[in-house]
Every structure is written in C-alpha cells, then in structure tokens.
Amino acid sequence: MEMMEERKALAEKKLEEYGQSHVLRYYDTLTQEEQEKLLSQIEQMDLSVTKYVHHRDELPGRGVITPLKAMEIPEIQEKEDEYRAIGLKEIREGKVAAVLLAGGMGTRLGSDHPKCMYDIGVTHPVFIMQRLIENMMDVVREAGTFFPFFIMTSDKNHDTTVAFMKEHDYFGYDPDKVFFFRQDMAPATDYDGKIYMESRCQMASSPNGNGGWFSSMNKAGLLDKLHELGVEWLNCFAVDNVLQRIADPVFVGATIAENCVSGAKVVRKAAPDEKVGAMCLEDGRPSIVEYYEMTPELLNAKDANGNPAYNFGVILNYLFREDQLEEIMDDKLMLHIVEKKIPYMDANGNFIKPETPNGFKFEQLILDMVHEMESCLPYEVERSCEFAPIKNKTGVDSVESARKLCVKNGIQL
Ligand code: UTP
C-alpha cells in the first residue's frame, strides 16, 4: 500500500509538471487494479510532448534544400553482380537484419485487425504479412540462411500480431530469428494540450510514430541482441508495401560500395508534384522534402541532364548502419503535432467518437532520422515491381491497386 502511495505521489508530481493533474481526477473511485493500470501508464509515457502544443510555431523550420543525386537503375544494373556479391556476403555473415514497422493504426484501411493480418487474396488467403515474408524468403533461399527479423508492434496490436504469427507458423520463417518489440505510446490531447481520458483509468494515447523505432528497440533490451548477433545493418520497412524487397542484397551492396551510412529505396516520381516525399540535401545533409513543402522553384529545378532535380520519392524502405543509429539515439527527433480525431470520455462519463478532428497526436517520423545520418544513398527501384502500398480499401494506394500490381508481377492471389 505504501508503495502505491509513493507511486501516486510521483505520478502527481509528473502530471503537475506538464499541467495534466486532471488525469488523476477519478483515482479515488478506481479499484486497486485500475489505479495500478493508470499509474503504470503515467510512469511509462513521455508527457513532455504535450508542452509543445502552445509552442507549435516555434518548432524548427526547414534548412536550405538542394538536390541529392540518386543511383539510377542503369547504373545499378551495370554493377549489379558486384553489389549483389557484397550484399550476400554481409547477409551470410549475419550482419543484416530486417525491421518491420507494424505499430501503425492503419486507420485509412479501417480494419479491426492489425494491418499485417489483412487478407488481399482473391482465390485463397494471402495475408499482408505472408506476402512480406514470401519476399524475404527469396533472399533467404539465395543467401542460404535466415536473417534476423524484428517486428515493431504497439500496445494496441501487439498480442494479436504475435498470436497471428504463431498461428501461421511464422509463414515458414525461422521462429528463432523473429523478435517482437513494442513501440512507445504518446498521449493525445485537446487543442489546449490537455490529455484526453479514454476511460476513468486510462489516458487517450496512440503509437508515437514510426521514428521512435530504434529507441523502442533499445528500451526492449534488443541492442544487446543486435550486438550478440553481430548485426551491422538494419533494413526498416513499412507493413503496407506488399511488393517490396527486404534485405535486398544489391541495395545493401550498393550502399556499402558507395561508402554511405544509410540508404533509401526511391522511385521515380510519376509527376513533379506527386504526393511523395523526395530525397534531397538539407543544409548539406541527406533529408526528405515533403510534397507540400515543394516551392515552385524546387518543382522547376533541373539536374545536369535536364531532368527534375527532386525526382525520386521515398517508399519507406531504409537501410541504416547500426553504429550510426546508436550514435543518434539520444538526439531528439523533430516532433510532429498532428490534428486527429481522438475518441475520449466526456465529463459525464460518456465515450465519444468524434466525427471531426478534436485535438492532437504527437509523432516522430523515420524520415527525420535520415537527416541525422552523415550520408544516404538514394537507390532507384522500378516502381511497378517494388511499390504496391496499401493505405486504403479502394482507389489510390489501395487493396485494389496492390492486387493489380501483384498479378502483374506473377504473384498468385
Ligand atoms: P502510415 O503513415 O501509413 O500510418 O505508416 P498507419 O498508421 O499505418 O496508417 P493510417 O495513417 O492510420 O491509415 C507507415 C508505416 O509506419 C508504421 C506503419 O505500421 C506503417 O508500416 N507506423 C506508423 C508505425 O510502426 N508506428 C506508428 O506509430 C506509425
């Protein structure tokens, strides 16, 4: 009991520091189990992000954007054998691991289950996770060895994802090479920066964006595992691109041969104003300029061959050198404060699911990690062969469009 009192006092202090004392409003009416749940949530969550709501205009702006040359397909083809040999050697020596970022909410797809469990099959079940693992198995067969496979989940989908993988025998992957970890959660607030309550014993929260993956890996104690396994490169990828190549030996080899500490798979933009982030330099360091940040000047800029200078969009498939990630781990990544619809409990105890945005969520993004790297190789891939993202049910970047692309690539659905 004394222990609970102490924890409560510490929680009160932490909440007061960030103007969130209302979170304990119902504390005395809760059962001991509920009190315990709320205190743990307060202890674990970084509440400092809420203070930025009132300082949104002061968040650092962008630096000077200049072009960063991509390695284009013809150049890759010319040296493919050399790069492949380098990459395969690294994979065989256990130096390359894959990291699946599967902590997102997948709200646009609107499924009740985690996105990796979504079935895109037509004549038989083909789950998104299965598709990704089938792609990984191509490399496993070529290299003659399984490589470590880390899967980031969130509190919202962890148990279901783990159970799903077990139920399906890891879709043929070696279970000893699969490691799950949970990403951190961030509070969700109203427009005044006050944390919403989801219930009397729970703050409204959501996964803190895909940029926190390495520090979450560290928190989960997996850095020791990386060292023990001798992993030197981490290939991070999104859950939703069902055609992407993972631990692609040629990509790994090219990044190493070019002496880069990171690499990003990119596709040629369909149009200069296409809605994808483009690789660039920002104040001389690798970075990604978002489509809505493109000024007319950037849109019209040309490279030495007369092609658009910001012509290559990122597809959320990055390669990072592990020692560099450790170096930047304690640096604070930029905070993105995003307006969202946040379900909450109102003052009368009713659970409200808003139809329009009613506050903020706080996210860090993996693309800001690229800017922390000294160098990055933008590596061009053929869009129709490696880019089939599933964000929506129908229309652009949807189950429908991804199915068509899978069929085009000879994948039976
Ligand atoms: P998206 O930006 O598409 O977000 O994530 P989402 O949550 O999956 O989907 P919407 O926006 O709610 O519809 C890109 C990748 O980053 C991962 C996702 O799982 C996906 O692989 N991600 C996103 C995380 O791992 N954690 C997060 O907090 C957010």
Coordinates of all heavy atoms in Angstrom, one line a residue, residues 3-9 11-12 24 27 34-44 201:
M3 N 3.8 1.6 -1.1 CA 4.4 1.6 -2.4 C 3.4 2.3 -3.4 O 3.9 3.2 -4.1 CB 4.6 0.1 -2.8 CG 5.1 0.0 -4.2 SD 6.9 0.1 -4.1 CE 7.3 -0.4 -5.7
M4 N 2.1 2.0 -3.3 CA 1.2 2.7 -4.2 C 1.1 4.2 -3.9 O 1.0 5.0 -4.8 CB -0.2 2.1 -4.0 CG -0.4 0.7 -4.6 SD -0.5 0.8 -6.5 CE -2.2 1.2 -6.7
E5 N 1.2 4.5 -2.6 CA 1.1 5.9 -2.2 C 2.3 6.7 -2.8 O 2.2 7.8 -3.3 CB 1.1 6.1 -0.7 CG -0.2 5.7 0.0 CD -1.4 6.6 -0.6 OE1 -1.2 7.8 -0.8 OE2 -2.4 5.9 -1.0
E6 N 3.5 6.0 -2.7 CA 4.7 6.6 -3.2 C 4.6 6.8 -4.8 O 4.9 7.9 -5.3 CB 5.9 5.7 -3.0 CG 6.8 6.1 -1.9 CD 7.8 5.1 -1.6 OE1 8.5 4.6 -2.5 OE2 7.8 4.7 -0.4
R7 N 4.0 5.8 -5.4 CA 3.9 5.9 -6.9 C 2.9 7.0 -7.2 O 3.1 7.7 -8.2 CB 3.4 4.5 -7.4 CG 4.5 3.5 -7.5 CD 4.0 2.2 -7.9 NE 3.6 2.2 -9.3 CZ 2.9 1.2 -9.9 NH1 2.5 0.1 -9.3 NH2 2.6 1.3 -11.2
K8 N 1.9 7.1 -6.4 CA 0.8 8.1 -6.7 C 1.5 9.5 -6.6 O 1.3 10.4 -7.4 CB -0.3 7.9 -5.8 CG -1.5 8.9 -6.2 CD -2.6 8.9 -5.2 CE -3.5 10.0 -5.6 NZ -4.2 10.5 -4.4
A9 N 2.3 9.6 -5.5 CA 2.9 11.0 -5.3 C 3.8 11.3 -6.5 O 3.8 12.5 -7.0 CB 3.7 10.9 -4.0
A11 N 3.5 10.2 -9.5 CA 2.7 10.5 -10.7 C 2.1 11.9 -10.6 O 2.1 12.6 -11.6 CB 1.5 9.4 -10.8
E12 N 1.6 12.3 -9.4 CA 1.1 13.6 -9.2 C 2.1 14.7 -9.6 O 1.8 15.7 -10.3 CB 0.7 13.8 -7.8 CG -0.7 13.4 -7.5 CD -1.0 13.3 -6.0 OE1 -0.1 13.3 -5.2 OE2 -2.2 13.2 -5.7
L24 N -5.7 12.4 -12.8 CA -6.0 11.6 -11.6 C -7.3 11.9 -11.0 O -7.6 11.5 -9.8 CB -4.8 11.8 -10.6 CG -3.5 11.1 -10.9 CD1 -2.5 11.4 -9.8 CD2 -3.7 9.6 -11.0
Y27 N -9.2 9.0 -9.6 CA -8.3 8.0 -9.0 C -8.9 7.3 -7.7 O -8.9 6.1 -7.6 CB -7.0 8.7 -8.6 CG -5.9 7.7 -8.1 CD1 -5.1 7.0 -8.9 CD2 -5.7 7.5 -6.7 CE1 -4.2 6.1 -8.5 CE2 -4.8 6.6 -6.2 CZ -4.0 5.9 -7.1 OH -3.1 5.0 -6.7
E34 N -7.3 -0.9 -11.3 CA -7.4 0.2 -12.2 C -6.4 1.3 -11.8 O -5.8 1.9 -12.7 CB -8.8 0.8 -12.2 CG -9.8 -0.1 -12.8 CD -11.3 0.3 -12.6 OE1 -11.5 1.0 -11.6 OE2 -12.1 0.0 -13.4
Q35 N -6.2 1.5 -10.5 CA -5.2 2.5 -10.1 C -3.9 2.1 -10.6 O -3.1 2.9 -11.1 CB -5.3 2.6 -8.5 CG -6.5 3.2 -8.0 CD -6.5 3.3 -6.5 OE1 -5.8 2.5 -5.8 NE2 -7.3 4.1 -5.9
E36 N -3.6 0.9 -10.4 CA -2.3 0.3 -10.8 C -2.0 0.5 -12.3 O -1.0 1.0 -12.8 CB -2.3 -1.2 -10.5 CG -1.3 -2.1 -11.1 CD 0.0 -2.0 -10.5 OE1 0.1 -1.6 -9.3 OE2 1.0 -2.1 -11.2
K37 N -3.1 0.3 -13.1 CA -3.0 0.5 -14.6 C -2.7 1.9 -14.9 O -1.9 2.2 -15.8 CB -4.4 0.0 -15.1 CG -4.4 0.0 -16.6 CD -5.8 -0.6 -17.1 CE -6.0 -0.3 -18.6 NZ -7.3 -0.6 -19.0
L38 N -3.4 2.8 -14.3 CA -3.3 4.2 -14.6 C -1.9 4.7 -14.2 O -1.2 5.4 -14.9 CB -4.4 5.1 -13.9 CG -4.4 6.6 -14.2 CD1 -4.4 6.9 -15.6 CD2 -5.5 7.3 -13.4
L39 N -1.4 4.3 -13.0 CA -0.1 4.7 -12.6 C 1.0 4.2 -13.5 O 1.9 5.0 -13.9 CB 0.2 4.2 -11.1 CG -0.7 4.9 -10.0 CD1 -0.3 4.3 -8.6 CD2 -0.5 6.4 -10.0
S40 N 0.9 3.0 -13.9 CA 1.9 2.5 -14.9 C 1.9 3.3 -16.2 O 2.9 3.6 -16.7 CB 1.6 1.0 -15.3 OG 1.4 0.2 -14.2
Q41 N 0.7 3.6 -16.6 CA 0.6 4.4 -17.9 C 1.3 5.7 -17.7 O 2.1 6.2 -18.6 CB -0.8 4.6 -18.3 CG -0.9 4.9 -19.8 CD -2.3 5.4 -20.2 OE1 -3.2 5.7 -19.4 NE2 -2.6 5.4 -21.5
I42 N 1.1 6.4 -16.6 CA 1.7 7.7 -16.3 C 3.2 7.5 -16.2 O 4.0 8.3 -16.7 CB 1.1 8.3 -15.0 CG1 -0.4 8.6 -15.2 CG2 1.8 9.6 -14.7 CD1 -1.1 8.9 -13.9
E43 N 3.6 6.5 -15.6 CA 5.1 6.3 -15.4 C 5.8 6.0 -16.7 O 6.9 6.5 -16.9 CB 5.3 5.0 -14.5 CG 5.0 5.3 -13.0 CD 4.7 4.0 -12.2 OE1 4.9 2.9 -12.7 OE2 4.4 4.2 -11.0
Q44 N 5.1 5.3 -17.6 CA 5.8 4.9 -18.8 C 5.8 5.9 -19.9 O 6.6 6.0 -20.8 CB 5.2 3.6 -19.4 CG 5.7 2.4 -18.7 CD 4.8 1.2 -18.9 OE1 4.1 1.1 -19.9 NE2 4.8 0.2 -18.0
C201 N -9.7 5.3 -16.0 CA -8.3 4.8 -15.6 C -7.3 4.7 -16.8 O -6.4 4.0 -16.7 CB -8.5 3.4 -14.9 SG -9.1 2.2 -16.0

